Amino acid sequence: MANSPQSKKRARQNERRFAINKARRSRIRTSLRKVEEAIASGDQAAAQAALREAQPELMRGVTKGVLHKNTVARKMSRLSSRVKALGA
C-alpha cells in the first residue's frame, strides 16, 4: 500500500490513467470490430467507411501511448489490403 504522499498521489494518477487508457483501448477495439464485420459482410463501401473511421482512433492510440506505432501500422496495412481485396 502507498504510504508517502508522493506514492499516494502516484497511485491516484495511475488509476486515472488506467481508466482513460482502458476506454481508449475499448474504442479502438470497437472500431476494428466494425471494420472486420464490414469485411465479413462483403460490402466494400461499408468496409472503406469503417476503415476511415478506425484510422484516426488507431493513430490517436499511438500518440497517447496506448499502442505501438508499428503495431498500428501493421493493423492498418492488413485491414486496408483486405478491404481493397473486396473490390477484386
Side-chain angles (χ1 to χ4, degrees), residues 52-70:
R52 272 196 301 275
E53 301 266 329
Q55 284 175 337
E57 286 292 338
L58 285 164
M59 293 313 296
R60 203 168 298 123
V62 171
T63 59
K64 299 300 182 179
V66 177
L67 295 170
H68 193 273
K69 68 176 183 174
N70 289 352

Side-chain angles (χ1 to χ4, degrees), residues 1-18:
M1 182 61 210
N3 289 320
S4 68
Q6 179 183 4
S7 60
K8 287 179 182 176
K9 179 179 179 180
R10 181 50 72 185
R12 287 195 308 270
Q13 288 173 334
N14 285 341
E15 285 179 28
R16 197 161 43 242
R17 294 307 315 163
F18 175 75

Side-chain angles (χ1 to χ4, degrees), residues 11-64:
R12 287 195 308 270
Q13 288 173 334
N14 285 341
E15 285 179 28
R16 197 161 43 242
R17 294 307 315 163
F18 175 75
I20 291 167
N21 287 339
K22 186 176 178 185
R24 185 166 282 122
R25 231 182 343 260
S26 174
R27 214 168 34 246
I28 290 169
R29 287 189 187 127
T30 301
S31 64
L32 288 175
R33 184 175 44 78
K34 286 179 182 175
V35 176
E36 291 288 344
E37 289 173 355
I39 290 172
S41 72
D43 185 4
Q44 188 182 21
Q48 282 178 336
L51 184 61
R52 272 196 301 275
E53 301 266 329
Q55 284 175 337
E57 286 292 338
L58 285 164
M59 293 313 296
R60 203 168 298 123
V62 171
T63 59
K64 299 300 182 179

